[in-house]
Amino acid sequence: MLHRFSISRMDLLVGVVNAVIVLSWTSAQWVMRIQDTQGLNESLSWAMLFVSVAVLFYRSRFPLTVTLATMVCTIVYYPASSTDGPMLLAFVIALYTLAALGHLVAAGVIAAVVFLTVVISEVLSDFAHMTESETIMLGGWIIAVPAIGAVVAHYRRYRAETAVALAETQLRSVAEERLRIARELHDAVGHHLSLINVQTAAALRKLRKDPLYRTEETLQVIADTSQLSLRELRAMVGVLREPGEDSPTGPGPSLEQLPSLVAAARASGLEVELRVDGSAALPVAVDAAAYRVVQESLTNVLRHAKAKRVQVKVVTGTSTLAVAVIDDGLGDPKGAKAGNGLTGMRERAESLGGTFTAGPRDDGGFSVEATWPLEVDR
């Protein structure tokens, strides 16, 4: 139970400083017989002084209670004591703390009550204890203290909200980065593994039919594809290990690599027609996204469509890049709607302000079309 009443370091420091100032100042006045007016009850005044000094040590844990206690002690002390010391300091600190911790309504009400008490009592006593200017100055300080505390409270709230917003932004960035890495792995490594799977399955079928079938050409295609897959995987791992601008990331995916991509698809037995119209300096993000869309589309054709022919079109206009992959396969590739392929392609297009459509064609087959604006961050 004792830990509930522990004193923080800041409260301890403030309490000690207040105690030293109030007790030493008041004791010095008492010893030197410096008196303001005859007090009503000296014993009561000293009791109120010690109580206000003691309770201030718990100002942060019980801000409202400490403020009310110091207010009562202050109101009782000055009429009861003949020594006009800085006993008011404990109440000022407690009132500021109450406002700074966000209890603005309570701090305002207490400040108003004390202000009215001081002003009315002095007016009724014809300013026997303070002059008019001193009364106005004291009242101004009583109002200013919770106002300063309110500013501090608003600043603390702003910092807390900023910290929360920053944490949410960081979490969102991490999620987006994980999604980007998942897309890259799916599109790059997944494509090469699909080619290897198709080549291996085709070679096994031919070996079952003809045990003397020579597999050197197929194995060479598999070796080249796996080497390319390992190269892309190493590049991605390198980026993850050294996430700086000067990290050796190697050449990124680009439409300039389409000929080698088409050649790998042709080696799998697919008849691929590549048509490129127009040219322009493409933003890096658009260039990479367009390549990945074509790559994933060819992967889906090889894995699901059972197509014989596929046409790849790349058209670069004055303000738009468009790609299309059209095959003569089943028209509704198995898993195309439920898998990650089409979802990833749509995200690659729409995240850069582009469009994406995919679906069966009326005359058979399946088509994938995507467009991007050329005016994006490079």
Side-chain angles (χ1 to χ4, degrees):
M1 294 293 291
L2 292 178
H3 72 279
R4 294 178 54 191
F5 301 99
S6 61
I7 303 173
S8 67
R9 292 182 178 179
M10 183 56 67
D11 285 352
L12 180 62
L13 177 61
V14 172
V16 169
V17 171
N18 173 73
V20 170
I21 293 174
V22 172
L23 294 178
S24 61
W25 190 326
T26 306
S27 298
Q29 285 185 312
W30 179 263
V31 171
M32 292 185 294
R33 304 298 181 182
I34 301 176
Q35 296 182 349
D36 183 16
T37 57
Q38 184 63 37
L40 300 178
N41 190 326
E42 295 295 338
S43 299
L44 178 62
S45 67
W46 280 100
M48 293 296 99
L49 186 144
F50 284 114
V51 170
S52 67
V53 167
V55 297
L56 192 65
F57 285 93
Y58 300 95
R59 65 188 182 99
S60 295
R61 185 170 292 276
F62 309 105
L64 180 58
T65 302
V66 172
T67 303
L68 292 174
T70 54
M71 179 187 72
V72 172
C73 289
T74 302
I75 293 175
V76 172
Y77 172 83
Y78 284 103
S81 175
S82 61
T83 304
D84 186 9
M87 192 267 190
L88 182 65
L89 182 61
F91 170 68
V92 171
I93 296 174
L95 184 61
Y96 162 80
T97 303
L98 184 66
L101 292 179
H103 306 283
L104 303 181
V105 175
V109 171
I110 293 174
V113 170
V114 175
F115 174 81
L116 292 175
T117 302
V118 170
V119 173
I120 293 174
S121 63
E122 289 299 317
V123 170
L124 294 178
S125 63
D126 197 19
F127 298 98
H129 305 91
M130 295 182 291
T131 64
E132 295 181 6
S133 59
E134 289 175 339
T135 303
I136 294 175
M137 184 177 298
L138 178 60
W141 273 110
I142 293 172
I143 298 299
V145 167
I148 297 173
V151 173
V152 174
H154 284 299
Y155 174 69
R156 288 175 176 173
R157 188 179 302 111
Y158 166 76
R159 287 186 58 184
E161 292 174 353
T162 302
V164 171
L166 181 60
E168 292 177 350
T169 301
Q170 290 175 341
L171 290 175
R172 188 161 49 249
S173 298
V174 171
E176 292 174 354
E177 184 65 13
R178 291 178 62 186
L179 180 61
R180 187 189 68 80
I181 294 172
R183 276 202 303 259
E184 289 294 327
L185 286 172
H186 179 272
D187 293 350
V189 180
H191 170 77
H192 298 312
L193 291 178
S194 296
L195 288 179
I196 293 172
N197 179 67
V198 170
Q199 290 284 348
T200 305
L204 287 175
R205 285 196 301 269
K206 292 179 180 179
L207 280 174
R208 291 191 187 99
K209 294 179 181 179
D210 182 9
L212 300 179
Y213 171 71
R214 299 180 64 84
T215 59
E216 289 88 348
E217 183 177 352
T218 301
L219 291 175
Q220 185 61 50
V221 172
I222 293 175
D224 294 340
T225 304
S226 60
Q227 184 178 14
L228 182 59
S229 177
L230 287 173
R231 189 182 307 145
E232 291 202 15
L233 187 59
R234 289 193 193 100
M236 294 180 64
V237 172
V239 173
L240 294 177
R241 285 180 175 174
E242 302 180 28
E245 292 183 357
D246 299 328
S247 300
T249 60
S254 169
L255 291 177
E256 294 180 357
Q257 302 170 11
L258 280 185
S260 61
L261 183 66
V262 169
R266 287 171 179 165
S268 300
L270 186 65
E271 183 181 334
V272 184
E273 176 189 353
L274 174 62
R275 196 174 87 186
V276 179
D277 295 332
S279 63
L282 301 176
V284 174
V286 171
D287 198 8
Y291 175 84
R292 292 303 191 198
V293 168
V294 174
Q295 183 184 53
E296 178 60 24
S297 298
L298 290 177
T299 300
N300 287 340
V301 172
L302 289 169
R303 293 177 61 187
H304 307 301
K306 296 183 180 180
K308 295 181 179 180
R309 291 183 296 277
V310 62
Q311 186 178 44
V312 178
K313 299 179 182 179
V314 180
V315 180
T316 305
T318 58
S319 60
T320 305
L321 170 69
V323 300
V325 180
I326 304 170
D327 66 71
D328 62 352
L330 298 178
D332 189 10
K334 180 181 179 182
K337 292 183 179 180
N340 295 321
L342 293 181
T343 300
M345 287 188 280
R346 183 180 301 279
E347 290 172 351
R348 288 186 182 278
E350 295 180 351
S351 64
L352 296 173
T355 62
F356 178 82
T357 57
R361 303 172 62 209
D362 294 337
D363 55 352
F366 196 84
S367 68
V368 173
E369 298 179 359
T371 63
W372 291 266
L374 298 185
E375 295 295 329
V376 298
D377 293 336
R378 299 185 180 220

